[in-house]
Amino acid sequence: MDVTIIQRNKKLVFKAGEGSVLAVAASAGILLNAECNGSSKCGKCKVRLLGGAGSAPNAVEKQFLSQQELDNGWRLACQLAVRNSMVLEIPDQSHQANPWKPAAAFLPSYPPDPAVRKEFVKLSPPGLVDQRADYERLRDSLMIPGRGIDRELLVTLPTKLREAGYSVTVALTQDRIIAVEPGNTTAQSYGLAFDIGTTTVAGWLIDLNSGKIIAGQAKTNLQNLYGPDVIARINHAATVEGLDNLHGRILDTLNPLIGELLKEGTVAYQHIYEAVIVGNTAMAHLFLGVPPVFLGRAPYVPAFSREQVITAKEARLRLLPTCQVTILPNIAGFVGSDTVGVMLATDIEQRPGICLAVDIGTNGEIVLAGRGRLLVCSTAAGPAFEGARIKYGMRAASGAIRNVSINTDGVCVSVIDDINPVGICGSGIVDAVAELLKVGVIEPSGRFVSTEVAQTMPKTLRERVRRGSDGMEFILVKASSGIEDIVLTQQDIRELQLAKGAIFAGIQILLKELGASEEEIAEVLLAGAFGNFMKLESALTIGLIPRVDPTRIKGIGNAAGTGACMALCYQGMFRKAVGLAGRAEHIELSDHPDFQDKFVEALGFPTEGGDCR
Ligand code: FES
């Protein structure tokens, strides 16, 4: 069967077997926005059937598509089967957007001191009076001898030494020789740092001589095929072949990401000697192919917490087989090395006063440091801040509405890459809700005002409030040139309330455990890709973070990734990360006696007086 896919005026024709349009498109490398992974829950996988016969729309399609849309050929890719040749159009909204390129991590300005270093040596050639073996000859020449060598390297060593005329560069870790290269290659020494998130994997390529970041890229975590959040992945890992699937998918994400980083930095893979990885605990397990099943059951115990050091060959990464791969330690079942990365990047223990750091991703991790203590917790915030479970939600990627301002003159949106908007990302959702609260379109309870009240509003606002298929909604962007109305629904607002309520409740519990009040917080640090675009004022307006003086709040971007970069470049930072993980006190929220009350209290939006309603 020939399947023709038309996307942004480009046409792709390929041979396909039977399967859903979603699966067939994926096999041709076209990833659709399939937030629920074809489980009939999101309705985001819309495609238009332009030619060829399709089965009659089923109940799921009738639930998500209007009669007018069905009449115009719109279908859901996960429900429509390919049984004959077809011509399909994929609109921008249904295309799975690539994540936003990660911001450059901020690194100290002093020279790096990585765990891997290179040394150029000129060996005296062997002779009848000096018959030392090749490996011993090499080892004796090193400033710090007594290192082991991989069998793989030993196999090629005699030829390498002779071909190089006994002038070679050796790459060394603390206890191993990991590469022997002809000539002086000390100028080429690079490392990789990765932040493996549930939704997005970000990576950086760093020159280990200068400490400069020379490339940064991000990719969708291809495990999303098996569910949008950590719990879905843990559950899938417990199924037959589930662990292998998830392990394979993270490698299918990381290996192409490595390729892109090397291409961007014009660096050969042979010159990468170490990779440092952070991620939530479940992602670290899945990267290593370790079953995360017991993370999903009380008492949520991980298989390992300490740092893990393996080779690229063991990790199945397309790098020098002997390249060292280090996974930073995790703290608890749901507080991973990404949180250790945040603590490291922010130097949170050394900051004056009580410091709160919140890392907002698919989960929300919270750190509270002060009075000589370091408290951490994780909240199941849900993926709303990543745009999931939001009608027009999407991640922060090209075409996402990232900021919104609303006043009586109308609505103004800014869109990533300044193109036509196709959806709204976390910062846009927070902004939109904050602005709707300010202009009175939604009440502090989160409900839309009644239609009678809406009628009293200026025309520019009232014409945007309407009853849609899912209840009340607000039109953020009106339909134009093939783009349908982008709306924020009552259900979207509820999702945001659940997410921000969980985070706010977690903050309150950590404050209580520390015996501190909101007023005593000296600094609030907001981490996560989301923090790059979010207006801090909007975060305060919706009650995502405690009401502190806005000058005390800072967006710090991908601090987890920065922490990984630091641990890669500085051995002292790596040791510090290990110490931070060991000192952190984990507070389990799921059975905390106060959590439910605090969560319910935090669901509403703050009123002028500061209370949530
Ligand atoms: S992927 Fe089709 S409904 Fe969710």
Side-chain angles (χ1 to χ4, degrees):
M1 292 173 289
D2 285 332
V3 171
T4 304
I5 287 189
I6 299 167
Q7 199 183 13
R8 288 193 178 163
N9 296 327
K10 281 196 194 134
K11 200 192 255 187
L12 176 72
V13 185
F14 57 94
K15 296 270 178 225
E18 287 199 2
S20 69
V21 168
L22 185 66
V24 165
S27 67
I30 299 170
L31 296 180
L32 292 175
N33 188 354
E35 187 179 298
C36 75
N37 186 27
S39 59
S40 318
K41 290 188 193 131
C42 72
K44 289 192 175 178
C45 57
K46 282 184 191 176
V47 294
R48 195 167 180 193
L49 183 59
L50 298 177
S55 51
N58 64 17
V60 177
E61 292 176 289
K62 285 180 186 161
Q63 180 197 340
F64 286 107
L65 301 168
S66 66
Q67 191 53 51
Q68 193 187 3
E69 285 178 307
L70 290 168
D71 293 344
N72 286 331
W74 289 101
R75 305 294 301 268
L76 293 184
C78 66
Q79 305 296 316
L80 177 62
V82 178
R83 296 221 180 88
N84 50 53
S85 293
M86 280 181 168
V87 182
L88 297 152
E89 179 193 347
I90 298 184
D92 282 353
Q93 292 95 321
S94 301
H95 184 241
Q96 191 176 103
N98 280 325
W100 185 247
K101 200 172 153 120
F106 48 93
L107 291 174
S109 52
Y110 48 87
D113 169 32
V116 176
R117 60 187 185 83
K118 290 180 87 172
E119 208 177 303
F120 173 61
V121 287
K122 278 187 170 182
L123 309 180
S124 52
L128 290 177
V129 290
D130 178 6
Q131 291 184 321
R132 282 176 301 159
D134 291 336
Y135 167 49
E136 277 67 25
R137 180 177 306 277
L138 179 67
R139 210 177 56 168
D140 292 348
S141 72
L142 299 172
M143 286 199 292
I144 309 170
R147 301 184 192 251
I149 188 166
D150 275 30
R151 195 197 81 89
E152 214 162 306
L153 212 50
L154 201 51
V155 170
T156 54
L157 184 68
T159 316
K160 266 190 186 161
L161 289 182
R162 282 156 186 84
E163 282 180 357
Y166 293 93
S167 291
V168 291
T169 301
V170 186
L172 311 148
T173 64
Q174 292 230 311
D175 58 354
R176 313 281 301 160
I177 295 171
I178 61 170
V180 179
E181 296 160 358
N184 187 345
T185 61
T186 48
Q188 282 110 43
S189 183
Y190 301 92
L192 295 165
F194 295 104
D195 173 19
I196 304 182
T198 312
T199 307
T200 305
V201 180
W204 294 266
L205 170 62
I206 303 179
D207 183 332
L208 295 178
N209 285 319
S210 66
K212 289 223 160 50
I213 293 177
I214 51 177
Q217 294 282 343
K219 272 194 162 321
T220 299
N221 184 340
L222 293 176
Q223 293 177 336
N224 66 357
L225 189 64
Y226 302 107
D229 53 39
V230 171
I231 298 296
R233 310 275 171 87
I234 291 172
N235 289 339
H236 184 73
T239 63
V240 179
E241 295 182 2
L243 180 61
D244 285 349
N245 293 336
L246 288 161
H247 185 208
R249 297 293 283 186
I250 192 58
L251 295 177
D252 289 348
T253 310
L254 280 166
N255 280 321
L257 181 58
I258 289 171
E260 283 177 25
L261 286 166
L262 296 181
K263 193 170 165 206
E264 186 189 338
T266 55
V267 167
Y269 79 92
Q270 294 93 334
H271 289 139
I272 305 288
Y273 304 101
E274 187 175 13
V276 170
I277 292 174
V278 297
N280 65 54
T281 307
M283 291 305 115
H285 279 58
L286 293 172
F287 168 67
L288 290 174
V290 175
V293 180
F294 297 103
L295 293 179
R297 300 177 199 164
Y300 317 110
V301 174
F304 64 92
S305 278
R306 296 180 76 95
E307 67 279 9
Q308 302 292 315
V309 182
I310 58 174
T311 63
K313 186 178 176 186
E314 290 167 318
R316 289 170 47 197
L317 292 180
R318 273 186 229 126
L319 290 167
L320 199 65
T322 47
C323 170
Q324 178 165 289
V325 179
T326 304
I327 299 121
L328 292 190
N330 64 60
I331 297 169
F334 286 91
V335 184
S337 51
D338 46 358
T339 304
V340 176
V342 171
M343 296 194 292
L344 186 64
T346 55
D347 202 9
I348 197 160
E349 275 189 317
Q350 303 307 320
R351 295 179 99 98
I354 293 173
C355 181
L356 172 71
V358 186
D359 191 7
I360 302 169
T362 313
N363 262 15
E365 285 93 19
I366 304 164
V367 185
L368 189 68
R371 299 181 180 160
R373 294 178 71 191
L374 191 55
L375 304 180
V376 296
C377 71
S378 168
T379 63
F385 291 116
E386 303 271 5
R389 294 210 278 264
I390 301 292
K391 186 159 187 180
Y392 284 89
M394 63 183 287
R395 70 174 65 206
S398 194
I401 297 171
R402 61 178 182 152
N403 290 114
V404 179
S405 52
I406 303 174
N407 56 35
T408 49
D409 292 335
V411 178
C412 185
V413 298
S414 46
V415 179
I416 296 177
D417 286 343
D418 280 330
I419 61 171
N420 279 337
V422 293
I424 184 163
C425 65
S427 57
I429 296 161
V430 171
D431 264 6
V433 171
E435 295 287 296
L436 288 173
L437 276 164
K438 279 189 201 161
V439 296
V441 169
I442 55 178
E443 298 170 345
S445 67
R447 270 191 309 270
F448 271 90
V449 291
S450 63
T451 35
E452 296 80 54
V453 174
Q455 284 315 307
T456 65
M457 292 182 170
K459 184 167 178 276
T460 45
L461 294 178
R462 113 179 142 238
E463 66 184 13
R464 288 174 180 265
V465 182
R466 70 182 183 197
R467 186 166 291 283
S469 53
D470 301 327
M472 296 299 287
E473 59 188 29
F474 184 84
I475 305 169
L476 289 167
V477 179
K478 293 183 181 171
S480 69
S481 56
I483 290 170
E484 57 194 74
D485 287 342
I486 296 177
V487 301
L488 194 73
T489 70
Q490 182 69 76
Q491 185 54 32
D492 295 341
I493 295 167
R494 293 286 179 235
E495 290 288 343
L496 181 72
Q497 286 178 276
L498 293 174
K500 74 102 186 171
I503 288 175
F504 196 82
I507 294 170
Q508 295 301 322
I509 288 182
L510 291 196
L511 282 168
K512 191 174 174 199
E513 291 285 335
L514 192 66
S517 65
E518 284 183 15
E519 293 71 41
E520 290 176 273
I521 299 174
E523 215 175 3
V524 178
L525 307 173
L526 281 179
F530 168 80
N532 289 336
F533 298 122
M534 193 176 55
K535 284 193 243 157
L536 303 176
E537 197 192 314
S538 297
L540 283 169
T541 304
I542 69 158
L544 173 64
I545 48 176
R547 279 196 181 216
V548 299
D549 181 338
T551 57
R552 287 191 265 150
I553 309 171
K554 281 197 191 96
I556 52 170
N558 188 333
T562 299
C565 294
M566 286 176 162
L568 170 69
C569 291
Y570 302 95
Q571 292 181 75
M573 292 288 185
F574 169 72
R575 288 191 291 271
K576 196 169 178 177
V578 172
L580 285 165
R583 282 195 297 285
E585 296 173 54
H586 174 240
I587 308 294
E588 177 60 53
L589 293 185
S590 65
D591 68 344
H592 196 285
D594 296 337
F595 182 74
Q596 204 50 35
D597 289 346
K598 295 278 180 204
F599 174 61
V600 172
E601 265 172 38
L603 286 176
F605 296 113
T607 55
E608 276 303 301
D611 298 329
C612 292
R613 213 196 271 168

